[in-house]
Amino acid sequence: MIRGETIQVWRPVITDGWSDPAFEAAYTVDNVLFVPGSVDDLAEAPHMDGDATEATFHFPRVWVETNPQATLRGCRIHYCGRVWEVEGEPHPYVGVNVPGPWVMPVRARQTQG
């Protein structure tokens, strides 16, 4: 049986309106499936001395159902000692169309350099 991993979601907190937001721990999410991006993503990095890696975190139905008003826009995901920035505003699939436990894909990006 497939079993996901535990991640932490940190949300932005605006401090004074002028500086970049600080982040605070918002959620601990169990049973999240991590799907790394392809190697091709690294080969097409726009900077000579850096790279960007994309991944998808598949959130479980139980988290979506217990946090129906939660927004992940602007959040960061802490997973395996790395920080990933959520892209856009993820939305779950329509429940009746997905029989399994993972119902919301969350695309995230990690940039270095």
Side-chain angles (χ1 to χ4, degrees):
M1 182 162 166
I2 298 173
R3 174 78 180 136
E5 300 177 70
T6 300
I7 64 164
Q8 284 196 335
V9 176
W10 290 56
R11 68 175 165 224
V13 178
I14 305 300
T15 53
D16 61 11
W18 295 98
S19 59
D20 290 334
F23 286 84
E24 67 180 7
Y27 309 104
T28 297
V29 187
D30 293 322
N31 198 21
V32 175
L33 291 182
F34 172 75
V35 180
S38 69
V39 177
D40 294 338
D41 292 339
L42 298 176
E44 296 175 11
H47 304 288
M48 296 293 289
D49 60 346
D51 58 51
T53 305
E54 293 183 355
T56 303
F57 293 86
H58 293 275
F59 278 49
R61 181 183 311 276
V62 67
W63 187 84
V64 172
E65 290 174 351
T66 56
N67 297 283
Q69 302 300 317
T71 179
L72 295 178
R73 179 180 296 282
C75 289
R76 293 183 175 172
I77 294 173
H78 289 242
Y79 169 72
C80 284
R82 295 185 175 186
V83 179
W84 300 80
E85 295 183 16
V86 173
E87 294 181 346
E89 177 62 70
H91 295 282
Y93 297 122
V94 177
V96 296
N97 293 332
V98 180
W102 297 282
V103 298
M104 187 168 74
V106 178
R107 292 195 52 181
R109 182 180 193 98
Q110 182 184 62
T111 305
Q112 297 176 346

